[in-house]
Amino acid sequence: MTIRVLLADDQALLRGTFRMLFDSAEDMETVGEAANGREAVELARARQPDVILMDIRMPEMDGLAATRLIGGAEDLAAVKVLILTTFEDDEYVAEALRAGASGFLGKGARPGELLDAVRTVAAGDALLSPTATRGLIRRFLAQPEPCTAVVHERLECLTRRERDVLGLVALGLSNEEIAGRLFVSPLTAKTHVNRAMTKLAVRDRAQLVVIAYQCGMVGPAAGGPPAAG
């Protein structure tokens, strides 16, 4: 299956470099280029890419506003957003995760890392496992926000094991790491993750992380990470 990528960055030279990288990969193709967030949203609707590589700082409409529009659009539910950013953009990245982004990567990443990041996001996984990312999530999402009545009702539908898995996903653990913590197979861990996503009506693991932190299921308000038993 070929991964369809849309590039959103205001620097034409950078977009050209990314296009050559993605088009050189056997499993990817570039389906469009946007110079600002507004163009990114329009092209997302027209081209229906699998992944949008989104810069944050762009003219007319920035990547954060574009991500929020894409994340809230029913006709773009299958489109994943990967934020490409710099270290000092941490707070904006946290807002992007809340808005619906599936993860982020620093602009200093090597070509192979960027390709792997796109594959990870296209597969429905959140790019949230590196140590630096976990630290960012704890810093900016650990202040719980009141759950809406709808989210609270959905959380009540989770089984105890699904709640445990949700807490471990929020810590940035992969299915294999969750399986090791809970003494189950990776396939069983993946099944629990998928069921949690279905019950909470979210598109990927990144949104599970947002819900877990904002509703105080993990972090200081919850007294630390969930038990593995």
Side-chain angles (χ1 to χ4, degrees), residues 38-163:
R38 193 176 306 282
E39 289 183 4
V41 176
E42 293 173 353
L43 283 174
R45 287 199 163 94
R47 308 289 172 80
Q48 292 290 317
D50 299 304
V51 178
I52 301 177
L53 186 64
M54 183 84 75
D55 189 22
I56 287 184
R57 295 173 178 170
M58 293 185 290
E60 291 192 40
M61 178 185 291
D62 64 22
L64 180 59
T67 298
R68 187 176 294 110
L69 287 176
I70 292 167
E74 292 185 5
D75 59 330
L76 298 177
V79 178
K80 307 294 174 55
V81 176
L82 174 61
I83 298 292
L84 191 66
T85 185
T86 54
F87 178 78
E88 59 267 24
D89 287 329
D90 282 357
E91 189 167 4
Y92 293 104
V93 171
E95 288 301 320
L97 290 175
R98 293 190 182 102
S102 295
F104 68 94
L105 193 67
K107 286 191 173 180
R110 295 187 295 272
E113 292 175 327
L114 180 55
L115 293 175
D116 287 343
V118 170
R119 294 184 182 108
T120 295
V121 170
D125 293 327
L127 196 67
L128 301 171
S129 55
T131 302
T133 308
R134 294 175 187 172
L136 179 147
I137 292 169
R138 287 185 179 134
R139 179 180 175 188
F140 289 103
L141 298 183
Q143 298 178 357
E145 299 178 5
C147 287
T148 65
V150 172
V151 173
H152 179 74
E153 183 177 349
R154 290 171 179 169
L155 285 171
E156 290 297 317
C157 294
L158 298 182
T159 66
R160 178 176 178 181
R161 181 46 59 93
E162 288 166 354
R163 291 175 71 91

Side-chain angles (χ1 to χ4, degrees), residues 175-176 178-180 183-190:
N175 289 339
E176 289 73 17
I178 292 173
F183 303 104
V184 298
S185 71
L187 180 58
T188 297
K190 181 178 181 180

